Amino acid sequence: GAGVSQTPSNKVTEKGKYVELRCDPISGHTALYWYRQSLGQGPEFLIYFQGTGAADDSGLPNDRFFAVRPEGSVSTLKIQRTERGDSAMYLCASSLSGYEQFFGPGTRLTVL
Amino acid sequence: GENVEQHPSTLSVQEGDSAVIKCTYSDSASNYFPWYKQELGKRPQLIIDIRSNVGEKKDQRIAVTLNKTAKHFSLHITETQPEDSAVYFCAATIPIPTFGRGTSLIVHP
């Protein structure tokens, strides 16, 4: 009965490194969303999964960003060659209906 | 794409007063309008939502109104309490949500 969980809660990396951020949605939720939130801003959409497939990846800023959800449950957001501008809170949300979304606690990424 | 404007960016009220936050959206295809409350360092939490076939919805001290013709919707909080202090985000969904920039509500005891 747990909510959405994300790991790690904090990630500090150096410019140019590769990072993976994990999201565990609420069990049975078929829709999963990734967002990026910078200080003083609302969540910014990155990618949306319906089941295993990416239904909409129009929010990914460039080809350094990639996400997978191989079994239709856990999802991993992957960022290659990180840049300082990638520093932000990365939020995951899941939904059963496609409307009401439940957010995870986020992963705060800091790129030095 | 969708564009959501949210006002004001900061709202300061006395405990017991009402607070109103307004959002406008650009795409008439948007059909779902949630409001989220985000306390400092915490995740956004859904507090109320409205679908495009409804004009108003109320849940205790919180209400949301929607004007589809004018493409705007508002959050109303009555009898504000210090624990209502947080950042509030609106969103318009088609079906991906576009969020407003947030309103920082401060309720003074």
Side-chain angles (χ1 to χ4, degrees):
Chain A
V4 179
S5 62
Q6 291 185 246
T7 54
S9 54
N10 279 283
K11 177 69 178 178
V12 180
T13 191
E14 294 180 343
K15 180 175 178 294
K17 299 289 188 184
Y18 168 83
V19 296
E20 289 190 352
L21 312 179
R22 176 188 168 109
C23 172
D24 281 85
I26 293 172
S27 178
H29 281 197
T30 55
L32 185 147
Y33 307 77
W34 282 98
Y35 298 90
R36 179 168 67 177
Q37 186 176 27
S38 300
L39 203 60
Q41 304 287 326
E44 175 192 2
F45 168 73
L46 296 176
I47 187 169
Y48 154 55
F49 288 90
Q50 184 61 247
T52 60
D56 187 333
D57 64 358
S58 61
L60 295 176
N62 52 59
D63 61 6
R64 295 186 299 105
F65 288 74
F66 188 70
V68 295
R69 195 186 185 198
E71 297 178 356
S73 179
V74 170
S75 177
T76 305
L77 178 65
K78 309 181 181 195
I79 310 173
Q80 298 177 321
R81 303 182 304 279
T82 51
E83 300 177 357
R84 293 194 179 89
D86 298 336
S87 296
M89 176 71 82
Y90 287 81
L91 293 165
C92 172
S94 71
S95 176
L96 181 62
S97 65
Y99 286 100
E100 185 176 2
Q101 294 189 17
F102 296 86
F103 280 85
T107 293
R108 181 163 297 285
L109 176 66
T110 303
V111 182
L112 301 176
Chain B
E2 177 63 280
N3 182 45
V4 176
E5 299 283 341
Q6 181 172 348
H7 298 280
S9 57
T10 305
L11 180 57
S12 184
V13 300
Q14 288 296 129
E15 183 177 1
D17 287 350
S18 294
V20 180
I21 302 170
K22 299 181 179 182
C23 288
T24 61
Y25 61 100
S26 60
D27 196 324
S28 56
S30 287
N31 61 0
Y32 174 66
F33 306 90
W35 286 88
Y36 289 86
K37 175 183 180 182
Q38 187 173 30
E39 297 178 37
L40 191 62
K42 302 276 184 73
R43 71 189 78 188
Q45 293 201 305
L46 180 72
I47 56 171
I48 196 167
D49 56 9
I50 192 167
R51 300 202 185 187
S52 58
N53 58 347
V54 176
E56 184 173 357
K57 184 177 177 180
K58 189 172 181 181
D59 182 4
Q60 299 182 359
R61 297 187 296 110
I62 295 172
V64 56
T65 58
L66 171 65
N67 183 325
K68 287 195 307 180
T69 304
K71 297 206 226 20
H72 67 71
F73 56 114
S74 300
L75 177 71
H76 305 252
I77 306 174
T78 58
E79 301 170 25
T80 53
Q81 301 166 3
E83 50 266 39
D84 294 331
S85 298
V87 178
Y88 291 80
F89 293 99
C90 65
T93 305
I94 47 165
I96 301 300
T98 299
F99 286 81
R101 295 187 62 165
T103 296
S104 177
L105 174 64
I106 303 164
V107 181
H108 299 280

